[in-house]
Amino acid sequence: MKHIISALVENKPGVLAHVAGMFAARAFNIDSLAVGRTEDPKLSRMTIVVVGDDKVLEQVRKQLAKIVPVVKVQDFAGQPVVARDLMLIAISAPAEKRPEILSLIEMFKGKVVDIGQKLVMVEVSGPEEKIEAFIDVCKPYGIKNVVRTGTIAMPRQAKTEPD
Amino acid sequence: MEPNSGNSIEAIDESSLKIGAQIIVDTLLEQGVETMFGYPGGVVLPLFDRLYDAPIRFINPRHEQGGCHMADGYARASGKVGVVVATSGPGACNLTTGLATAMMDSVPIVALTGQVRTELIGNDAFQEADTTGITRPVTKYNCIVKRVEDLARTIREAFYIASTGRPGPVLVDLPVDVQVAKCRHDGSKQMDLPGYRVRTKGNARQISIAAAAINSSEQPVLYVGGGVISANASEELRQLTEKAHLPVTTTLLGLGSFDQRKPESLDMLGMHGAAYANYAVQECDLLIAVGARFDDRVTAKLKTFASNAKIIHIDIDPASISKNVRVDIPVVGDAKLILAELLERVEFRERKPWFKKIADWKKKYPFSYDRQAATIKPQYVIEELCRQTASEATITTGVGQNQMWTAQFYRFIKPRQLISSGGLGTMGFGLPAAIGAQVAMPDATVIDIDGDSSFNMTMTELATAVQYNLPIKVCILNNGYMGMVRQWQELFYNKRYSHSFLTNPDYATVARAIGTVGITVDKKADVPGAIKEMLAQKQPCVVDFKIEREENVWPMVPAGKSLDEMDGLDMLESLA
Ligand SMILES: Cc1ncc(C[n+]2csc(CCOP(=O)(O)OP(=O)(O)O)c2C)c(N)n1
Ligand SMILES: [Mg+2]
């Protein structure tokens, strides 16, 4: 099962290497890893998507917490969270296909961020399944390039998604 | 780039400033360091200069690996933090085996390494190595200090992290420019470790549940590891076993936590453990693990390990709990505190049938060997050592058969008495560890019971013992083989002894060449006399025992088998 783990870490050199090295050394599988600053300049947030059974995940949490510069570890499994990926995708878009592609982009609430002779670059964000679905619908047109951030997540207050 | 405190520097009175190297030494003194081990080199010269007249005893090994094992032996013998220094690049790389050894066995060490100037880092400078990168997986924590203002705090934190919680090695990398940069050293004692918390007090509810389980158990076994020794909890363990009436087995690193002469002692368990310990664990209804981590050398086949038992696990490291074996009653915290609380809640219970069963196993399958043999049996040498030292010596070991025989035939009676590389199984550990232990305890009898091949790996450190007149004793159980490897080749590879023997030097001559006493023993009748002569020496002494060459360690749980599926029991039974 996939778990989203959120780790608050000290903003120090070597922390990312330590976390990544621990995952490799203990043969844990990382699906994605996103790192960014927080409102506190001394802390960063790592959001790690890990695949494994309960026993593996228990170890992941404990081993992460054991790393000295890791300040706090949360596992969002079983909690209502907002989880989002951001993707930039370049799709080949010859003039005759453009209206079709643009309507798809609109359906997915994507944003065209660059248009060239042959390609459009689109920014899409949302839950992972939405991102995957958008990739699928774009495949027939030809995908030139995909760049994704990996999941970031935050627990939600309300029980259900507003949209 | 100005590495020190920047613009304000001219405004400060020069006399209130200290260079980084002095701050390092001052912080070591603040942390109570009396002894350190280490080897100089270009980028640690500022630090060595400040050590020149510091009130710290300094021991130079012949190799940084030896230095790190010495710091380890010092720490295990004394309970204090061992300190080792090395230069950048090759010096730091040579520390890695020692750090990994200490990491696996949870030994508190602070390693200080020199590093090239901060502005050269990443440029493949002379003697540059990515020391923090290389040592990250083999340290509890490591870091590089890039500002002289951070030096004192970082070194203080290193000692705190190394010695608290589950202890372990911490490395601090020190670029040479930081060692010579100046700043004001105000003597404040602050630390900044928002991510480091240690839970020492056990959860009261969990402790009550554990006590209730103990009180209702008919067939309990205590399974004790090195954690009880590092927590200084042997006295609490003794009281608990007496009050609740519990049999005790220990891991290799747990030996000494419980007096092996007591009837409740089941000695060591595991792959080469006592048959009666392994049987008791497999048949118990309650396994009480304290400061142990269910290593595969202990559990054998995990699926069938103690399969009828409820398991209590007391450990300071939450990540140790339910890592290998599902635990029913976890208690996270300091073993000393938790055992003391348990003691309040347990009741005496006779458990006659259980103790009777254990006594029968003990009678049937004691550790044994052919006492009538004409050759020198290694077990005999160890028994004789134990007898002549009245079980009081501090023992270090190599790795292999020598280590297992020591665990089986020396009777350990007090904590910190056995110093052995358990988790990593580092050949070459015995001699430098003995030197470190002797430095910590100048008046103790410290004996390295070693294998010939293990001794070969670090025997150069004999010169260190000679230089500092450390009267360690080395007993080489010389079978002319990498005995444990040969045993596996005999049992599992059709006696094809592929590259498992070496041409050894004459060790007595080597000892003499290095400037000390060497004795060769090739007759059984000479064993007691040679040991007596060795123990009388006031200087280092090496005794080369030419033992039975193809003796094996029994019993043995072959790989993949359950803990009670031991080979060699017929032999033990027939010799009993
Ligand atoms: C540094 C290192 N290299 C290799 C090994 C693998 N190994 C384990 S025991 C052993 C043989 C040890 O021989 P010796 O020191 O003579 O001890 P004996 O088993 O003969 O008592 C070897 C090679 C090891 N444990 N450590
Ligand atoms: Mg040997």
Side-chain angles (χ1 to χ4, degrees), chain B residues 165-179:
Chain B
R166 178 171 175 182
V170 176
L171 180 141
V172 184
D173 204 23
L174 303 161
V176 63
D177 52 323
V178 176
Q179 295 172 46

Side-chain angles (χ1 to χ4, degrees), chain B residues 347-417:
Chain B
E347 295 149 12
F348 185 86
R349 206 175 162 123
E350 183 120 47
R351 305 187 172 101
K352 240 188 185 154
W354 182 227
F355 276 95
K356 166 84 173 58
K357 209 167 187 180
I358 288 171
D360 289 345
W361 284 322
K362 275 189 165 181
K363 211 161 153 207
K364 197 162 174 199
Y365 309 112
F367 285 126
S368 199
Y369 63 97
D370 179 6
R371 290 187 161 79
Q372 263 57 60
T375 51
I376 303 177
K377 291 282 185 177
Q379 301 94 329
Y380 169 58
V381 175
I382 295 165
E383 278 186 342
E384 187 58 23
L385 272 170
C386 187
R387 194 183 66 77
Q388 290 199 30
T389 55
S391 260
E392 294 278 353
T394 295
I395 305 288
T396 69
T397 73
V399 171
Q401 295 181 314
N402 62 88
Q403 181 182 34
M404 292 299 107
W405 287 319
T406 302
Q408 293 180 340
F409 289 91
Y410 201 93
R411 319 253 74 205
F412 295 94
I413 61 174
K414 54 188 181 190
R416 306 193 179 280
Q417 211 189 339

Side-chain angles (χ1 to χ4, degrees), chain A residues 17 55 59 62 66 68 71, chain B residues 136 195 197 317-319 321 323:
Chain A
K55 188 172 174 250
Q59 268 298 304
K62 287 172 166 177
K66 203 166 142 172
V68 171
V71 178
Chain B
R136 192 166 291 122
R197 274 170 307 266
D317 178 9
I321 285 167
K323 184 176 66 183

Side-chain angles (χ1 to χ4, degrees), chain A residues 61-154:
Chain A
R61 287 190 299 270
K62 287 172 166 177
Q63 295 294 347
L64 263 176
K66 203 166 142 172
I67 295 173
V68 171
V70 172
V71 178
K72 191 176 174 197
V73 179
Q74 287 168 283
D75 184 342
F76 291 146
Q79 278 188 54
V81 288
V82 179
R84 294 289 181 267
D85 279 38
L86 172 66
M87 169 171 70
L88 296 175
I89 180 169
I91 312 157
S92 57
E96 70 277 14
K97 298 276 186 194
R98 284 195 184 186
E100 214 178 305
I101 292 175
L102 286 177
S103 75
L104 277 176
I105 294 171
E106 198 167 321
M107 267 165 69
F108 279 84
K109 296 205 181 88
K111 214 160 72 184
V112 175
V113 287
D114 184 37
I115 300 189
Q117 293 245 306
K118 297 193 183 119
L119 299 173
V120 288
M121 193 203 303
V122 182
E123 174 190 320
V124 191
S125 73
E128 202 189 353
E129 312 82 68
K130 174 180 158 188
I131 304 282
E132 302 285 352
F134 188 69
I135 293 175
D136 282 345
V137 298
C138 290
K139 267 186 191 150
Y141 306 98
I143 296 171
K144 264 286 171 231
N145 201 358
V146 168
V147 180
R148 294 169 63 172
T149 55
T151 304
I152 58 169
M154 201 184 263

Side-chain angles (χ1 to χ4, degrees), chain A residues 10 12-14 17-18 26 42-43 55 58-59 62-63 65-72, chain B residues 136 139-141 153 157 161 166 192-197 317-324:
Chain A
E10 281 189 80
K12 277 186 180 168
H18 205 147
R26 298 203 177 262
K42 291 172 83 177
L43 297 173
K55 188 172 174 250
E58 182 181 338
Q59 268 298 304
K62 287 172 166 177
Q63 295 294 347
K66 203 166 142 172
I67 295 173
V68 171
V70 172
V71 178
K72 191 176 174 197
Chain B
R136 192 166 291 122
T139 50
K140 182 173 174 185
Y141 178 61
R153 179 180 47 77
E157 289 168 356
I161 293 169
R166 178 171 175 182
D192 180 21
L193 294 168
Y196 185 70
R197 274 170 307 266
D317 178 9
S320 275
I321 285 167
S322 291
K323 184 176 66 183
N324 301 338

Side-chain angles (χ1 to χ4, degrees), chain B residues 71-90:
Chain B
D72 182 321
Y74 176 89
R76 294 196 210 209
S78 65
K80 295 184 208 159
V81 176
V83 183
V84 61
V85 196
T87 192
S88 63

